[in-house]
Amino acid sequence: MKEQKWRFIDSEGSFSIDAADCTAGLYFPLVNEAVMSSVSPTLHGDSKTGQHTFLLIPASRIDLAVSRASRNFWVYRDKKRIWSATGVSKLAEDTRKEECGIRAGLLWHTIHRKNQRIGTSAEILSFVPSGNDPVEIMQVVLTNITSTTIEITPTAAIPLFCRSAENIRDHRHVTSLLQRVQRDPFGVIVKPTLLFNESGHHPNTTSFFVLGCDEKGRPPEYVFPTQELFCGERGDLEAPESVIHNRTPPNAPIQGKEPMGALRFKRVSLSPGQRKTYIILMGVTQQGSAIRKIFRKFNTPKKVIDAHKETKKYWVGASQQIRVTTADPVFDNWYRWVSIQPILRKMYGCSFLPDFDYGKGGRGWRDLWQDCLGLILNSGDVEKLRAIFINNFSGVRIDGSNATIIGTQQGEFVSDRNNISRVWMDHGIWPLLTLDLYLHETGDYSILFEKAAYFRNHQLCRGRERDFEWTLADGQKLKSPDGKVYRGTVFEHLLAQNLVAFYHVGRHNHVRLEGADWNDGLDMAKENGESVAFSAMYSYTLNLLAKFLEKSRTKKVELAHELTILLRAGDYRSVTQKNKVLDEYLRDTKKTVSGKKVTLDAGTVAHNLRTKSAWMAAHIRKNEWLKEGFFNGYYDNLCRRVEGRRAGVVRMMLASQVFPIMSGVADTTQAQTAFRSIVRYLGDKKHKGFRLNTDFKEEQHHLGRAFSFVYGDKENGAFFNHMAVMCAYALYSRGLVKEGWQVFDSLYRMAKNIPNSKIYPCLPEYFNNEGTGMYMYLTGSASWYVLTLISQVYGVRGKDGDLCLEPKLTAAQFLHSTTLTIQRNFSGRKLTVNFINHHRLEWGKYSIVKVSLDGQAIPVVDRKYTLISRETILKLSSGKNHRIDIFLDSTRG
């Protein structure tokens, strides 16, 4: 980026950057509940409402640099002075000589370009208005920067696609024949005749549009409704013949062509310093009659400005549900962007930004639950999320697996992507971790005994078998033999997921890897692979389920009769016996459940779970701690131990250390030793980050595709932020605070190193070997970053419904200020929590010596933490911001 870097220009996350168009791959999200867009510094990118309704041509990261299709705005003075105000033109003598910059904020994007030869500057504002209007707004302001009057002819040029993303390769020409273009006084409206699908065509009901006007609401003088008419015989969007030769649209056929939203406005005269504004609206709607209403809503500069203000207000508000104030305003602003990333993934899913050129929309099961971590902490009233959580459990199958894709509608679940039956063995972990956070924030243990249905489709016995008789008409809910939908408690769903994992073990008595775990790249060991890393987490979650029962104070537990099979005592050392137990359970629940319930003593169930948990933990400690000073986390499809030293090469994976530490399977000495190994083998001296794994030096065809990637990218040794932030969380949770801060701080340092990271403010999925940020915005690392910052670093979190204050702030964080502040909502009350450390003492050397709430003293429970009861919090006014001061000093102070 030629050493350019973004500079924050206010305290609300807005930033500016010069010459951003010199960096390929940059893109920016523009989104609301109805439409999903992305724009690059040259306005490449796409816009759509879903997989089958792309307004603009689908764009991957590489397309941002190589595609000729982009939003464009042309300025014609004469045949020798023709200018693209977005910088996308073959006609420019040297666009690098232009002055170019970007200002952007939450969530709006403005390009500034100035061309002395043309004598014009352009300011192009792009945003998607908050709310649910399915439209992207592009406002162009042209200014005469000369000392004389000039004449210009402006033309907006939006190449349209208007169909499914699948038609990029599948019947691109044939689907163009379906396009029906309607000329409108203000632009074009396109409504294809069919949704083309050879497995079954359907009449189309979707309309796509590009409409525009000038600042006085006047329509364009001419409209070019097809790319053929606009570009001419060459078909070149970067040198369109209609612009080059200043031609008007000929009278030619327009149906069954590639559509175009090219709007030529009347030639205008601009005196020195005079400005002219043009508004371009582009969108997708299921109601053609709504197009005119949308146009009237945004067809003047004042209406656009008002919508822009409302959009900024909405996203700034979303970004300050949890707000931090440190001595580093760059961090404070950067964190605003990280805090909205869970919202962005909820809106986009995992498929609809340029890096995420896979899948067909929706989120994965893991994504659903991890995004909820951020939503719980960001919500002012987490009890409102209760119904959503209960509904989410309807995606669990009785065999412990689950629907893998979450649709856009509440309760919409899909079994797999691309019709592939695949089971991820870690999927039982995330609902439980998320529910644990909810329980601590609310104290609402009664949710455990609310009832939900189970997911049911063609996939049986964890993907081992397929029900060829099942159809969608049968419904996607598990039933009893009498045809009634079976419903079990949330606790029962959690038991099914976690008990099945306990028995579903491979040769070394660890949970089978199946299709993969958190690391999707470990996908070639389905038959014999085992995940020690997530066996450690299942040890943790089984114990957590026992705690849930105890804290709920219930005496009896009602469960499906079939689950008693998994609660029997037995010889847990025997792989054969455990597999037989699982086979019996899967046989009895294969297509239906009996519907019979049993009532068990809660204490007996809790003891059973704890016994299983303790056995798993002891088994891992005894067999998987290596002499090299770290845990082995996996066995491959040849039943070989994956990690350790082999042929002089140290093979180590970060996940294999994170989860034993997080779960408590690693004892204190092992946790400390494992971190030293993380620093030694996975720490990078140049970028100061931590890699996902060491270089194994060869492909691993009996483990997964990850090791076929170039080392230092994606799941093969990249700086994978999701695992790094979970590592930080694990270290903090075990009291390794300085170690946790070292890992946690590295993420921010790499993100703001702009010459290397080459990204806008955000936390990407990972940084590659060069330190470049990849897969921006839509990543679970953001939810875990928010969780770690709030609950571990600042330590402002719920504890069984009460407010717990347990700071783990280091001396380095107080270096430039003796007060650190966090604002968050808790139990519907706005709290500002100040941590005051006058002597800048290190964690471990300070104690909580005084706490006050709105000036009133609060008893200090312990030198490390204090509690404020939920009852006390609920007595506070809900319309007021309340202040909590926590004074940190030595015990002698």
Side-chain angles (χ1 to χ4, degrees):
M1 207 176 274
K2 296 185 176 180
E3 297 302 315
Q4 281 88 10
K5 60 185 298 184
W6 35 259
R7 301 170 298 280
F8 287 113
I9 56 179
D10 57 27
S11 61
E12 296 182 344
S14 304
F15 64 93
S16 66
I17 185 169
D18 298 325
D21 58 339
C22 295
T23 299
L26 276 175
Y27 58 84
F28 190 88
L30 303 173
V31 68
N32 65 15
E33 294 290 348
V35 67
M36 301 168 283
S37 296
S38 61
V39 292
S40 76
T42 52
L43 296 192
H44 284 79
D46 59 33
S47 183
K48 61 273 166 186
T49 59
Q51 173 72 4
H52 302 298
T53 49
F54 271 75
L55 172 70
L56 307 183
I57 300 171
S60 297
R61 170 184 276 257
I62 190 64
D63 296 316
L64 303 179
V66 304
S67 175
R68 295 181 181 181
S70 66
R71 307 164 183 84
N72 212 328
F73 199 92
W74 294 92
V75 175
Y76 178 94
R77 281 193 66 180
D78 53 49
K79 63 182 180 180
K80 292 185 178 180
R81 288 180 290 187
I82 303 169
W83 182 50
S84 165
T86 66
V88 182
S89 170
K90 289 181 177 177
L91 309 176
E93 291 182 348
D94 191 350
T95 57
R96 289 173 296 178
K97 294 180 181 178
E98 293 181 358
E99 296 180 35
C100 174
I102 286 176
R103 287 205 320 271
L106 297 158
L107 280 180
W108 54 272
H109 183 274
T110 305
I111 300 171
H112 300 268
R113 298 188 82 93
K114 183 185 291 187
N115 190 300
Q116 297 293 343
R117 193 175 71 85
I118 302 297
T120 308
S121 70
E123 177 181 291
I124 304 177
L125 168 67
S126 298
F127 69 99
V128 168
S130 57
N132 57 8
D133 289 304
V135 65
E136 177 188 323
I137 299 175
M138 175 178 165
Q139 178 176 271
V140 182
V141 179
L142 302 177
T143 304
N144 178 0
I145 59 173
T146 73
S147 59
T148 61
T149 298
I150 64 173
E151 289 189 350
I152 60 172
T153 302
T155 303
I158 314 295
L160 301 176
F161 190 62
C162 304
R163 49 199 188 269
S164 170
E166 295 173 11
N167 299 134
I168 277 286
R169 178 64 182 82
D170 186 15
H171 294 288
R172 174 74 184 263
H173 172 255
V174 168
T175 53
S176 73
L177 302 178
L178 305 175
Q179 305 286 28
R180 295 296 182 267
V181 179
Q182 173 190 339
R183 278 192 173 100
D184 184 274
F186 292 91
V188 296
I189 299 171
V190 181
K191 186 178 180 181
T193 55
L194 287 178
L195 292 175
F196 188 92
N197 187 329
E198 288 187 305
S199 65
H201 308 305
H202 300 282
N204 171 60
T205 59
T206 304
S207 295
F208 306 83
F209 63 90
V210 174
L211 304 177
C213 61
D214 68 9
E215 59 200 14
K216 295 184 178 180
R218 293 176 297 204
E221 188 173 20
Y222 301 104
V223 173
F224 297 82
T226 70
Q227 293 183 34
E228 186 176 306
L229 292 180
F230 180 64
C231 297
E233 289 297 322
R234 291 184 179 180
D236 192 344
L237 288 164
E238 295 181 356
E241 292 181 15
S242 64
V243 173
I244 295 172
H245 303 296
N246 199 28
R247 292 175 181 164
T248 59
N251 185 13
I254 63 173
Q255 306 304 342
K257 308 284 186 180
E258 292 289 351
M260 184 79 193
L263 317 181
R264 177 175 295 172
F265 294 92
K266 190 174 181 179
R267 190 167 179 84
V268 296
S269 176
L270 295 178
S271 58
Q274 186 178 355
R275 296 154 57 98
K276 189 74 174 178
T277 301
Y278 300 91
I279 298 165
I280 311 300
L281 305 177
M282 58 194 91
V284 183
T285 179
Q286 294 295 318
Q287 298 176 326
S289 59
I291 295 175
R292 192 62 55 199
K293 180 180 179 182
I294 294 169
F295 178 70
R296 288 195 296 267
K297 188 173 182 178
F298 303 107
N299 65 347
T300 69
K302 183 181 184 305
K303 292 176 182 177
V304 171
I305 290 170
D306 289 345
H308 185 211
K309 288 180 180 177
E310 283 300 311
T311 300
K312 289 196 290 185
K313 180 180 178 182
Y314 173 84
W315 286 105
V316 168
S319 74
Q320 59 189 23
Q321 292 297 316
I322 300 171
R323 188 175 178 183
V324 295
T325 304
T326 68
D328 182 0
V330 175
F331 174 84
D332 300 346
N333 271 299
W334 175 81
Y335 175 71
R336 281 184 179 267
W337 287 92
V338 177
S339 71
I340 68 162
Q341 286 182 224
I343 304 173
L344 293 180
R345 190 159 73 167
K346 183 176 183 292
M347 290 180 163
Y348 279 99
C350 295
S351 302
F352 291 133
L353 281 178
D355 270 323
F356 300 83
D357 52 356
Y358 53 85
K360 299 176 181 178
R363 290 175 290 168
W365 181 257
R366 193 185 306 122
D367 308 325
L368 170 73
W369 292 99
Q370 292 189 107
D371 289 349
C372 284
L373 295 173
L375 296 176
I376 291 170
L377 294 169
N378 272 313
S379 175
D381 188 0
V382 294
E383 285 87 346
K384 292 180 180 179
L385 297 172
R386 190 178 199 268
I388 296 175
F389 291 155
I390 295 170
N391 178 76
N392 286 349
F393 279 100
S394 297
V396 175
R397 288 191 184 91
I398 195 69
D399 66 6
S401 66
N402 52 267
T404 56
I405 301 298
I406 313 305
T408 56
Q409 302 301 315
Q410 188 69 24
E412 182 184 358
F413 299 108
V414 183
S415 63
D416 49 61
R417 178 180 279 138
N418 300 325
N419 203 29
I420 300 170
S421 293
R422 186 177 176 189
V423 174
W424 281 260
M425 61 80 62
D426 64 309
H427 278 185
I429 299 295
W430 312 109
L432 211 156
L433 294 184
T434 302
L435 189 64
D436 184 42
L437 177 64
Y438 171 85
L439 293 173
H440 277 302
E441 289 285 308
T442 65
D444 176 25
Y445 283 90
S446 65
I447 194 176
L448 294 169
F449 308 108
E450 296 289 349
K451 291 186 176 180
Y454 284 87
F455 185 68
R456 164 76 159 94
N457 69 340
H458 65 275
Q459 187 170 307
L460 303 173
C461 301
R462 298 188 68 84
R464 299 178 191 175
E465 299 182 30
R466 184 183 182 101
D467 184 354
F468 291 99
E469 297 177 351
W470 178 90
T471 67
L472 274 174
D474 295 319
Q476 292 185 301
K477 297 183 186 300
L478 179 70
K479 298 175 181 178
S480 55
D482 60 6
K484 293 181 179 178
V485 173
Y486 174 79
R487 298 169 64 83
T489 63
V490 167
F491 184 78
E492 181 187 287
H493 284 67
L494 293 168
L495 270 186
Q497 289 187 295
N498 288 268
L499 286 175
V500 166
F502 177 79
Y503 287 99
H504 196 215
V505 294
R507 183 181 297 183
H508 302 90
N509 215 337
H510 302 296
V511 185
R512 288 184 178 274
L513 185 54
E514 297 181 280
D517 63 7
W518 170 91
N519 189 336
D520 289 342
L522 306 183
D523 58 350
M524 298 171 72
K526 181 178 180 180
E527 292 77 18
N528 298 309
E530 297 170 68
S531 175
V532 181
F534 277 93
S535 294
M537 285 305 292
Y538 280 113
S539 167
Y540 174 77
T541 54
L542 287 169
N543 188 54
L544 196 56
L545 283 170
K547 289 183 179 180
F548 285 177
L549 278 182
E550 293 168 352
K551 290 180 179 181
S552 72
R553 298 182 181 179
T554 187
K555 301 297 183 183
K556 300 292 183 179
V557 183
E558 183 184 71
L559 300 174
H561 178 267
E562 290 82 355
L563 269 173
T564 60
I565 297 170
L566 304 180
L567 287 168
R568 297 171 186 162
D571 183 4
Y572 299 149
R573 296 171 300 175
S574 171
V575 171
T576 301
Q577 184 175 331
K578 288 171 83 171
N579 286 170
K580 284 182 178 179
V581 170
L582 180 63
D583 289 343
E584 180 184 351
Y585 174 76
L586 294 179
R587 184 181 65 249
D588 285 4
T589 59
K590 189 172 182 178
K591 293 185 178 182
T592 62
V593 288
S594 65
K596 297 177 181 178
K597 302 273 191 176
V598 296
T599 301
L600 303 178
D601 177 72
T604 301
V605 173
H607 177 74
N608 183 289
L609 295 171
R610 279 217 167 90
T611 301
K612 288 177 167 65
S613 168
W615 186 90
M616 292 180 82
H619 179 62
I620 294 170
R621 287 192 202 103
K622 178 181 177 182
N623 295 288
E624 304 304 336
W625 179 253
L626 307 178
K627 62 183 180 181
E628 288 84 359
F630 54 84
F631 283 95
N632 169 60
Y634 296 92
Y635 286 88
D636 68 13
N637 216 30
L638 298 180
C639 302
R640 299 176 303 185
R641 176 174 281 168
V642 169
E643 293 169 82
R645 187 180 297 274
R646 184 180 298 179
V649 176
V650 172
R651 297 181 175 185
M652 178 185 178
M653 302 172 74
L654 183 57
S656 303
Q657 319 316 313
V658 168
F659 294 116
I661 294 172
M662 184 185 293
S663 65
V665 167
D667 62 31
T668 301
T669 299
Q670 287 173 331
Q672 293 169 337
T673 303
F675 180 72
R676 288 194 292 270
S677 295
I678 289 171
V679 173
R680 179 180 179 183
Y681 297 116
L682 302 177
D684 185 88
K685 293 181 180 179
K686 178 181 178 182
H687 296 298
K688 310 299 183 185
F690 296 87
R691 295 183 181 273
L692 192 58
N693 54 272
T694 58
D695 188 353
F696 281 28
K697 301 295 185 182
E698 60 184 7
E699 295 182 69
Q700 301 292 310
H701 292 167
H702 299 289
L703 183 56
R705 69 178 189 243
F707 299 92
S708 295
F709 299 147
V710 62
Y711 182 70
D713 226 299
K714 209 67 167 96
E715 290 101 340
N716 188 19
F719 302 91
F720 223 92
N721 294 325
H722 196 172
M723 189 53 64
V725 75
M726 286 194 288
C727 179
Y729 181 95
L731 292 166
Y732 273 110
S733 69
R734 295 296 300 277
L736 300 174
V737 172
K738 286 189 283 187
E739 294 85 346
W741 173 247
Q742 182 180 347
V743 177
F744 192 71
D745 188 48
S746 71
L747 306 179
Y748 166 59
R749 300 296 169 187
M750 291 188 74
K752 78 166 189 171
N753 184 4
I754 310 305
N756 286 342
S757 68
K758 299 179 175 65
I759 56 174
Y760 291 142
C762 72
L763 185 63
E765 181 181 272
Y766 70 91
F767 299 99
N768 67 15
N769 231 13
E770 292 76 43
T772 302
M774 302 293 293
Y775 293 73
M776 293 184 282
Y777 302 110
L778 310 182
T779 165
S781 56
S783 290
W784 274 86
Y785 193 95
V786 172
L787 175 67
T788 303
L789 183 70
I790 298 168
S791 70
Q792 295 297 322
V793 180
Y794 280 85
V796 181
R797 63 179 185 271
K799 184 174 177 59
D800 297 326
D802 296 330
L803 178 64
C804 179
L805 303 165
E806 185 183 4
K808 296 174 184 175
L809 299 160
T810 67
Q813 292 169 268
F814 287 103
L815 185 62
H816 300 292
S817 175
T818 58
T819 301
L820 298 176
T821 301
I822 185 168
Q823 295 172 296
R824 68 158 297 191
N825 292 304
F826 184 83
S827 192
R829 305 302 186 268
K830 297 179 180 179
L831 304 177
T832 297
V833 184
N834 300 305
F835 296 93
I836 303 158
N837 184 356
H838 287 304
H839 302 294
R840 296 183 170 89
L841 298 175
E842 182 58 85
W843 182 87
K845 294 186 178 180
Y846 62 68
S847 300
I848 297 175
V849 296
K850 180 182 176 183
V851 178
S852 65
L853 170 59
D854 289 337
Q856 300 296 313
I858 295 291
V860 176
V861 175
D862 184 271
R863 62 179 294 270
K864 290 185 177 181
Y865 73 93
T866 195
L867 292 172
I868 300 178
S869 71
R870 190 174 194 81
E871 182 182 10
T872 299
I873 297 295
L874 289 175
K875 288 179 180 178
L876 300 175
S877 169
S878 60
K880 179 183 174 183
N881 190 26
H882 300 276
R883 173 171 175 162
I884 299 175
D885 291 327
I886 302 172
F887 293 87
L888 308 174
D889 207 337
S890 65
T891 51
R892 294 187 301 275

